[in-house]
């Protein structure tokens, strides 16, 4: 999925270039110089995320046996839990597919071209990419990832704009590294709001937590606004000026536009005709949007959209409608499927880990989740819970990049500890959400779909995203602590 991005000889950092309007050397500050240095550091220390998940399985299995569980009990828990998330796995894969299909539609392409004409300098363009990436991520991380990458390519095609393509790629990734988990496609918030998708081991501890107690808390929305503002400012200040920018052309990237295969068929075969005709699209959308209308009438919009099935159907219908012809829609789905590989193969391992944590009982009938929860309670208080759990979740996320699926591992003991310490359960979910995004900023796993569109490697953008991490980490932990003090405990609500 990644193409070579080697800079041709004689071109690179510090090479003099003509200036674009709005870019001057005086604007190049500490962040810009650090960004250029950190881009030399890269992927070499990161194996595939599946390896981390597999290692986590082995570590938890060994820890459960050390806790007193028999090998037979651990193996049974592993097998029982392996398929416990099959529904949720499919739902999260469709989040990615629906977002990709919408982002690559002809209407989105026209919108991207119009937006690409707005910035007057390369640094302004990079700031625009960052803002769009983070705002879109609140609605769908798949849309954010692909739309922002295509937007960066469109800006890079402008001959009058000297834009550092690496910094633009990093800006396009900020939705996944900053705000996506605070929005509608948050895996943890979606899971907690859907009792049918929740494993019983977690449901018994947390109950059902609606969106109004997680992503739609005013504290969470203010945190998202602050993160967007700060991140866009950093993206602008850290972007190399015109004289130091490395363009896509200099990186050897082919910027030829992605063309839709929307061609009229000359064949008269019925099957081919239906693939190219919008008739089926119109009929399917009429049925789908008819059902969605009934859902919105029967329930409040907040409750309706919190259902993952409703959410995914909406994006799939939008994708079908925007691509118009079934053949174009199917082609877009085919291109989207590779980005779901990590979800499909890793989530069963997370389910197995959760089961080993909660079902494999050791000495005295105490599970590993019980022991970890008691450990956190012993070293935390209601005041320090958010910082302790946020830091822990972020560090764990470096080794288990999950796109939110890691919540299945953490929820049993995190939420048990929150209950014992009387911490607002919805805010405990948001602590996880905000911290979950932090390691994404430097872990290449979730970069892969973006890098495939940009034809870059992780080492090309990690330097700039690392700068964001240096600011995000203390800022996020402070806000989790500060806003957590304004919320009071609500006991679990069972369906």
């Amino acid at each position: 999925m990644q193409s070579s991005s080697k800079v041709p000889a004689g071109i690179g950092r510090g090479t003099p270039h003509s200036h674009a309007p709005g870019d001057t050397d005086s604007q190049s500050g500490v962040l810009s110089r650090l960004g250029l240095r950190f881009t030399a550091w890269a992927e070499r220390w990161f194996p595939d995320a599946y390896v981390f998940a597999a290692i986590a399985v082995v570590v938890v299995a060994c820890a459960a046996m050390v806790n007193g569980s028999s090998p037979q009990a651990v193996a049974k828990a592993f097998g029982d839990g392996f398929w416990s998330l099959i529904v949720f796995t499919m739902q999260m894969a469709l989040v990615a597919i629906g977002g990709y299909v919408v982002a690559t539609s002809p209407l989105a392409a026209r919108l991207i071209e119009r937006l690409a004409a707005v910035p007057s300098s390369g640094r302004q363009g990079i700031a625009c990419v960052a803002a769009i990436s983070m705002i879109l991520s609140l609605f769908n991380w798949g849309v954010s990832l692909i739309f922002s990458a295509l937007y960066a390519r469109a800006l890079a095609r402008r001959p009058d704009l000297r834009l550092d393509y690496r910094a633009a790629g990093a800006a396009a990734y900020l939705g996944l590294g900053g705000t996506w988990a605070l929005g509608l496609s948050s895996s943890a918030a979606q899971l907690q709001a859907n009792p049918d998708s929740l494993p019983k081991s977690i449901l018994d501890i947390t109950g059902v937590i609606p969106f109004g107690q997680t992503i739609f808390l005013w504290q969470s929305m203010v945190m998202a606004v602050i993160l967007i503002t700060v991140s866009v400012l950093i993206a602008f200040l850290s972007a190399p000026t015109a004289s130091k920018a490395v363009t896509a052309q200099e990186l050897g990237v082919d910027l030829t536009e992605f063309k839709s295969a929307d061609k009229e068929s000359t064949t008269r075969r019925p099957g081919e005709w239906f693939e190219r005709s919008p008739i089926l699209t119109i009929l399917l959308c009429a049925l789908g949007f008819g059902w969605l209308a009934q859902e919105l009438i029967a329930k409040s919009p907040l409750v309706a959209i919190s259902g993952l099935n409703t959410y995914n159907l909406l994006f799939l219908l939008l994708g079908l409608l925007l691509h118009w012809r079934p053949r174009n829609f199917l082609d877009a789905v085919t291109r989207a499927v590779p980005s779901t590989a990590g979800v499909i193969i890793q989530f069963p391992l997370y389910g197995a880990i959760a089961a080993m944590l909660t079902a494999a009982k050791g000495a005295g009938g105490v599970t590993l989740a019980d022991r970890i929860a008691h450990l956190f309670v012993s070293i935390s208080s209601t005041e320090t819970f958010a910082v302790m759990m946020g830091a822990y979740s972020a560090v764990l996320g470096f080794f288990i990049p999950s796109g939110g699926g890691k919540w299945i591992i953490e929820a049993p003991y995190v939420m048990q500890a929150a209950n014992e310490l009387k911490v607002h359960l919805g805010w405990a979910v948001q602590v996880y959400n905000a911290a979950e995004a932090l390691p994404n900023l430097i872990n290449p796993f979730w970069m892969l779909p973006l890098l495939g569109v940009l034809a870059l490697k992780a080492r090309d953008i990690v330097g700039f995203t690392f700068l964001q991490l240096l600011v995000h980490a203390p800022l996020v932990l402070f806000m989790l602590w500060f806003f957590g003090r304004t919320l009071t405990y609500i006991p679990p609500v069972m369906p």
Side-chain angles (χ1 to χ4, degrees):
M1 294 180 67
Q2 300 176 50
S3 302
S4 173
S5 57
K6 185 178 179 181
V7 182
I11 299 175
R13 303 175 186 87
T15 302
H17 296 293
S18 59
H19 291 265
D23 280 335
T24 64
D25 287 329
S26 62
Q27 291 175 300
S28 180
V30 175
L31 288 178
S32 179
R33 291 194 296 272
L34 283 173
L36 291 170
R37 291 176 183 175
F38 282 131
T39 48
W41 182 86
E43 315 165 283
R44 61 182 299 183
W45 302 110
F46 289 95
D48 189 88
Y50 175 81
V51 174
F52 285 127
I55 291 173
V57 170
V58 174
V59 170
V60 171
C62 292
M65 286 185 277
V66 171
N67 186 49
S69 301
S70 67
Q72 293 88 342
V74 173
K76 186 178 188 308
F78 173 87
D80 289 345
F82 193 83
W83 297 117
S84 63
L85 295 178
I86 191 65
V87 173
F88 186 60
T89 300
M90 183 64 175
Q91 289 171 326
M92 293 313 298
L94 285 171
V95 169
I97 291 173
Y100 186 101
V101 170
V102 169
T104 55
S105 66
L107 181 62
R110 290 194 290 271
L111 177 59
I112 286 170
E113 289 303 319
R114 291 189 178 184
L115 290 173
V118 173
S120 60
S121 72
R123 299 180 92 188
Q124 287 181 21
I126 289 166
C128 288
V129 173
I132 288 173
S133 173
M134 300 188 81
I135 292 170
L136 285 179
S137 73
L138 295 173
F139 299 94
N140 183 289
W141 65 261
V143 172
S144 168
L145 202 63
I146 305 305
F147 187 96
S148 302
L150 294 174
Y151 182 39
R153 287 178 63 92
L155 286 168
R157 283 195 296 270
R158 279 183 53 181
D160 62 321
L161 201 67
R162 185 155 189 87
L163 172 133
D164 190 288
Y165 194 58
R166 304 160 305 169
Y173 188 62
L174 288 179
L176 264 287
T179 50
W180 79 272
L182 299 176
L184 288 172
S185 56
S186 161
S187 304
Q190 286 279 11
L191 187 65
Q192 291 296 158
N194 287 273
D196 293 338
S197 300
L198 265 175
K200 187 176 184 301
S201 58
I202 298 177
L203 180 63
D204 291 343
I205 298 171
T206 67
V208 177
I209 307 175
F211 277 178
Q213 294 298 312
T214 55
I215 61 175
F216 288 135
L217 287 168
W218 70 261
Q219 293 90 341
S220 179
M221 291 188 283
V222 170
M223 183 162 58
V225 171
I226 292 173
L227 280 175
I228 291 172
T229 303
V230 171
S231 300
V232 171
L233 182 61
I234 295 171
F236 177 82
L237 293 175
S238 63
T241 55
S243 65
K244 296 180 180 179
V246 178
T247 66
Q249 292 83 357
E250 292 163 356
L251 289 166
V253 175
D254 180 6
L255 292 174
T256 304
E257 289 188 70
F258 295 118
K259 295 292 185 181
S260 171
D262 188 10
K263 298 179 180 178
E264 293 295 335
S265 175
T266 57
T267 181
R268 295 187 179 183
R269 287 186 301 149
E272 182 74 10
W273 185 85
F274 274 116
E275 288 180 6
R276 302 296 178 182
S277 170
I279 292 176
L280 290 177
T281 295
I282 295 170
L283 294 175
L284 288 174
C285 287
L287 289 170
F289 283 115
W291 181 83
L292 288 173
Q294 293 181 62
E295 283 289 291
L296 292 173
I297 292 171
K299 306 172 184 177
S300 71
L302 185 62
V303 173
I305 200 64
S306 67
L308 263 174
N309 291 336
T310 304
Y311 176 86
N312 279 329
L313 180 60
L314 172 61
F315 274 90
L316 287 175
L317 289 173
L318 285 174
L320 181 60
L321 188 63
L322 291 172
H323 282 276
W324 195 235
R325 303 179 192 278
R327 181 71 270 156
N328 295 342
F329 173 75
L330 291 174
D331 289 343
V333 170
T334 300
R335 293 192 298 269
V337 167
S339 67
T340 68
V343 170
I344 293 171
I345 200 63
Q346 284 180 228
F347 275 40
L349 294 181
Y350 298 147
I353 291 171
M356 289 190 290
L357 285 167
T358 58
K361 295 184 179 180
V366 178
T367 66
L368 193 57
D370 292 330
R371 293 203 181 277
I372 298 175
H374 293 155
L375 172 64
F376 278 114
V377 169
S378 68
I379 62 175
S380 304
S381 65
T382 304
E383 280 283 314
T384 62
F385 175 86
V387 175
M388 292 289 295
M389 297 311 303
Y392 163 78
S393 185
V395 171
L396 186 60
F398 280 113
F399 303 101
I400 309 178
S402 68
K406 184 166 59 66
W407 176 245
I408 302 298
I409 302 174
E410 296 186 39
Y413 51 85
V414 167
M415 298 304 272
Q416 186 174 330
N419 276 319
E420 292 185 32
L421 292 170
K422 304 302 179 187
V423 173
H424 187 280
L425 295 180
W427 190 246
V429 176
Q430 292 307 88
V431 168
Y432 168 83
N433 278 332
E436 160 76 2
L438 291 174
N440 286 355
L441 285 167
I442 64 170
N443 196 313
F445 178 70
W446 289 106
M447 295 178 185
L448 293 179
L450 175 103
L451 296 172
V453 174
L454 293 173
L456 290 175
K457 290 184 178 291
R459 61 171 167 262
D460 294 314
I461 70 173
V462 162
F464 296 100
T465 57
F466 181 69
L467 289 178
Q468 296 279 354
L469 177 63
L470 292 179
V471 178
H472 278 222
L475 177 62
V476 166
L477 292 177
F478 171 77
M479 289 192 291
L480 291 174
W481 167 79
F482 180 79
F483 289 126
R485 300 173 69 225
T486 67
L487 294 160
T488 56
Y489 175 73
I490 300 174
V493 177
M494 297 300 169

